[in-house]
Amino acid sequence: HTFRKLTEVMCLDWWDQDDAALQSATEQATEVAQHLLAWLRAMDAEPVPMIRLDFMVSRIGPGKARVVFGEYCELGACCLAWEDG
């Protein structure tokens, strides 16, 4: 598969309108993100101006999702639609 940025509508279409699985993925990613950001602040108290956390998600069954943290992207911004990037 190719990496793509999906909208909520696209994700629900891909996941057979499984809103519960999408909600689960969102909750899991939010919880993990809080720990990752706390760890980052513990390593250096100086806040960065912008950070992006990349997650890979998959629907593993009705109402269920798996979330895997990919990477911190310091000063990252979405550039998926940038043709020259």
Side-chain angles (χ1 to χ4, degrees), residues 15 18-25 28 59-65:
W15 285 4
D18 191 345
D19 190 56
L22 181 58
Q23 182 66 31
S24 175
Q28 289 177 61
R59 179 177 175 251
I60 57 174
K64 297 180 180 179

Side-chain angles (χ1 to χ4, degrees), residues 39-79:
W39 176 84
L40 187 63
R41 288 296 303 259
M43 295 297 104
D44 189 339
E46 184 68 31
V48 294
M50 180 177 162
I51 192 161
R52 186 184 76 219
L53 306 179
D54 289 346
F55 294 92
M56 283 74 65
V57 299
S58 60
R59 179 177 175 251
I60 57 174
K64 297 180 180 179
R66 177 177 292 126
V67 175
V68 177
F69 173 64
E71 65 181 336
Y72 290 102
C73 298
E74 193 173 352
L75 298 174
C78 181
C79 57

Side-chain angles (χ1 to χ4, degrees), residues 1-4 14:
H1 292 284
T2 302
F3 180 75
R4 291 174 287 191
W14 188 277

